[in-house]
Amino acid sequence: MTNRQQNAAWRAAQQWRERTRQARPSQGAGGLKLLATWLLFGAMMIVGTLLGLFFLIIGWAMLPFLRHRMKKRAEAFRADHAHPAGGNGAQDAPAQDATHASQVLEGDYHVKSGD
């Protein structure tokens, strides 16, 4: 045996070279795996695109129903917050005063009449 073959580092390098040679797949199997991977990836992209288009069309189809629901909700809100058409002017006049309205941040309040 030569001096190189007796060296522990040289033997470790040879073993490492052998392991990498064995771990590397053969050329024919690698090409076949690559083709199968690309076909699978392409099929997944097509399925994902079709699912996206399906949900987009469903969303567009639901827009009129959503618009109708929002209109109903807005009408109910307006009806809840509408002031009566009649009523006497004595109650409405103090409530329209800008100084009192600008001082209230939230909540209910009553304006006292100046007796």
Side-chain angles (χ1 to χ4, degrees):
M1 284 192 180
T2 65
N3 196 14
R4 267 196 248 167
Q5 291 172 344
Q6 292 173 351
N7 189 352
W10 179 263
R11 276 182 287 165
Q14 289 291 68
Q15 289 173 358
W16 178 76
R17 220 179 275 157
E18 274 300 313
R19 279 196 304 260
T20 56
R21 203 174 288 134
Q22 289 172 359
R24 196 177 302 154
S26 64
Q27 200 62 5
L32 191 60
K33 280 183 185 177
L34 185 64
L35 179 66
T37 302
W38 274 105
L39 287 175
L40 184 65
F41 177 72
M44 287 175 58
M45 289 294 286
I46 290 171
V47 168
T49 303
L50 290 176
L51 276 172
L53 284 173
F54 174 74
F55 284 119
L56 179 70
I57 290 170
I58 293 294
W60 280 346
M62 289 178 64
L63 279 176
F65 298 111
L66 182 65
R67 183 174 179 256
H68 177 70
R69 200 166 97 193
M70 294 299 286
K71 281 176 82 174
K72 287 284 188 185
R73 192 178 289 175
E75 287 173 9
F77 180 79
R78 269 189 244 117
D80 288 344
H81 292 82
H83 295 291
N88 55 8
Q91 290 178 344
D92 293 339
Q96 299 297 331
D97 190 4
T99 58
H100 293 296
S102 65
Q103 292 174 356
V104 176
L105 296 177
E106 62 181 8
D108 295 331
Y109 69 98
H110 299 283
V111 177
K112 294 182 181 178
S113 61
D115 285 11

